[in-house]
Amino acid sequence: MTGIWHDEGKGLVPLPAQRYADEQALHSSIERAPAMLPLPGQPRLVILGREVQLGNGYADLVAVDADSGRPVVIEVKLAANSDRRTVFAQVLGYASYIFRLSATAFEELMQPYVTERGHATVAALVAAEVGDGSFDIDSFRNGMAGEFEKGNARCVVVFDAAPTDLIELAGYLQTVTNDRLDIDLVTVTAYDVGGSQVLVPQLVEPERALAASISPSRMQREAKPTSGSASFRDSIDSADPSHRELLRRLCDWAEQLQSDRLTTLFTTVGKSRWILNPRLPGQSRGMFTIWNDGGAYVSPQRTVIQAEAPNALARLDERLPGQIGQNNYLKCDINDEVLALLRSAYEESANRRTPAEE
């Protein structure tokens, strides 16, 4: 259970979530600290404007990724609001409007908001907000021009709590949208701790959240992981034919890692899904997980990759910007080049281990 637990003298109990005074309270918190949003790839967001007109509507917040130049629309809703169901229609409309813009047109659109914040250009505002010497204005401008040329955008929907119907809709949209549009769902829960408000942000992964919401009477608990990949390979024949080739390639890739003593394979079997985990030798964690779950998916574990293979992570972030997150699914063509990059992370980890650790 996600939340804050405290001791009342009779053991640890969860603190009850607090209501926001209104939508603007949550809105303002995110505007002041967009870094609180736990988004895949850990983008550095800089807020450009609030209540920005995009077509026929007004986006709550418009931001930009300081590293890639990708435009980001953030829409905030309280789950209790009657119009919450319209939020995805709103953000898709905003993304459609941005899709038609060039980087120059976007600059012109944002100019009044940027000027209000005391800066002459978007790049100047981002440079001031980053302020750590790592920002290169020319690289940012080139990156932003490329993002708009490709029609790339990111939409982030923020709730205080995410009802099941909205999680289902977010999961559907994440499945059907392509690499040009990322849609993220985040909850920011408020707690009162000693008279101070504490905010707990959480990225909602629809596939995991919905599976967790199904009671044991409707779905059997997943078995404990078993060594090897045999049951995962056997499951491929039961998968949709359109996913079997990729599942076999992923299984072959993982088995080669084990053959080369870079991993130890374990498979977890659920009611209708199979999970292949190439664990690091001698450890219970891995850097990537392979899923046969209504499709073929690869899920990265960024914190493990950062600890075990930082150089490989840098190459992955360059090749797959914004995709190497924590428990998300890669949204890209998982081709031989990508698999070689994933393998390089395990190779780097192996090279870092001492003979005693092996």
Side-chain angles (χ1 to χ4, degrees):
M1 179 178 180
T2 301
I4 295 179
W5 293 66
H6 71 138
D7 192 342
E8 291 185 331
K10 299 180 180 179
L12 289 171
V13 295
L15 277 176
Q18 301 294 308
R19 290 180 179 271
Y20 288 94
D22 52 39
E23 204 165 88
Q24 295 305 311
L26 177 55
H27 189 151
S28 296
S29 294
I30 295 167
E31 182 178 13
R32 293 196 306 269
M36 76 165 67
L37 299 175
L39 301 177
Q42 300 178 328
R44 294 190 294 177
L45 300 188
V46 174
I47 301 297
L48 303 180
R50 177 170 180 161
E51 299 297 336
V52 177
Q53 184 171 6
L54 298 177
N56 295 326
Y58 289 82
D60 286 343
L61 295 167
V62 172
V64 69
D65 184 337
D67 297 308
S68 68
R70 175 173 288 198
V72 180
V73 175
I74 303 171
E75 197 67 14
V76 181
K77 284 284 186 291
L78 297 185
N81 285 1
S82 59
D83 66 342
R84 70 178 190 271
R85 295 175 183 273
T86 67
V87 66
F88 288 108
Q90 289 176 327
V91 297
L92 289 174
Y94 300 148
S96 173
Y97 186 83
I98 287 176
F99 179 78
R100 300 192 297 270
L101 297 178
S102 65
T104 300
F106 179 73
E107 286 262 11
E108 293 174 353
L109 173 69
M110 298 308 303
Q111 190 60 53
Y113 305 94
V114 171
T115 301
E116 184 179 345
R117 282 168 158 73
H119 297 279
T121 64
V122 168
L125 171 56
V126 175
E129 288 292 320
V130 172
D132 62 2
S134 65
F135 182 75
D136 182 270
I137 286 184
D138 290 335
S139 295
F140 172 78
R141 286 174 172 159
N142 291 335
M144 189 168 75
E147 292 294 299
F148 277 92
E149 184 177 345
K150 296 172 186 175
N152 293 340
R154 184 171 212 154
C155 295
V156 183
V157 179
V158 181
F159 287 101
D160 54 337
T164 301
D165 59 337
L166 295 181
I167 295 176
E168 290 175 343
L169 182 54
Y172 171 74
L173 292 173
Q174 288 175 357
T175 300
V176 300
T177 52
N178 58 27
D179 292 344
R180 292 181 178 179
L181 178 62
D182 288 326
I183 297 178
D184 300 296
L185 180 60
V186 174
T187 60
V188 180
T189 309
Y191 298 91
D192 186 303
V193 180
S196 297
Q197 186 184 59
V198 174
L199 302 182
V200 179
Q202 182 181 15
L203 178 68
V204 178
E205 290 285 342
E207 296 87 353
R208 313 280 173 87
L210 291 172
S213 70
I214 300 175
S215 65
S217 63
R218 293 179 56 200
M219 184 181 76
Q220 69 183 33
R221 295 184 181 275
E222 290 178 350
K224 291 182 179 180
T226 57
S227 61
S229 58
S231 56
F232 184 89
R233 183 170 287 281
D234 290 343
S235 76
I236 295 175
D237 289 335
S238 65
D240 186 291
S242 63
H243 300 297
R244 291 176 190 171
E245 179 182 355
L246 178 54
L247 285 168
R248 290 193 179 98
R249 283 201 297 116
L250 291 172
C251 192
D252 289 343
W253 172 82
E255 289 174 345
Q256 187 61 55
L257 290 178
Q258 179 167 261
S259 178
D260 295 338
R261 301 180 65 184
L262 297 174
T263 67
T264 304
L265 297 182
F266 285 83
T267 300
T268 302
V269 180
K271 184 175 182 179
S272 59
R273 65 181 183 180
W274 294 260
I275 306 164
L276 182 59
N277 186 0
R279 295 182 182 176
L280 295 167
Q283 300 188 37
S284 60
R285 61 181 187 167
M287 291 186 277
F288 301 93
T289 305
I290 300 167
W291 296 70
N292 176 4
D293 184 13
Y297 305 104
V298 175
S299 177
Q301 302 292 323
R302 187 179 183 91
T303 55
V304 181
I305 306 169
Q306 179 67 63
E308 295 285 339
N311 296 327
L313 178 59
R315 293 192 296 272
L316 283 163
D317 281 339
E318 180 179 1
R319 172 64 177 80
L320 305 172
Q323 295 216 38
I324 307 301
Q326 190 72 16
N327 295 323
N328 61 296
Y329 289 157
L330 297 185
K331 296 181 179 179
C332 66
D333 177 19
I334 305 176
N335 53 31
D336 289 343
E337 178 194 0
V338 171
L339 289 177
L341 280 172
L342 304 190
R343 177 188 170 91
S344 71
Y346 285 96
E347 291 174 338
E348 181 179 342
S349 175
N351 291 335
R352 290 160 60 90
R353 293 196 302 271
T354 65
E357 291 174 318
E358 296 178 343

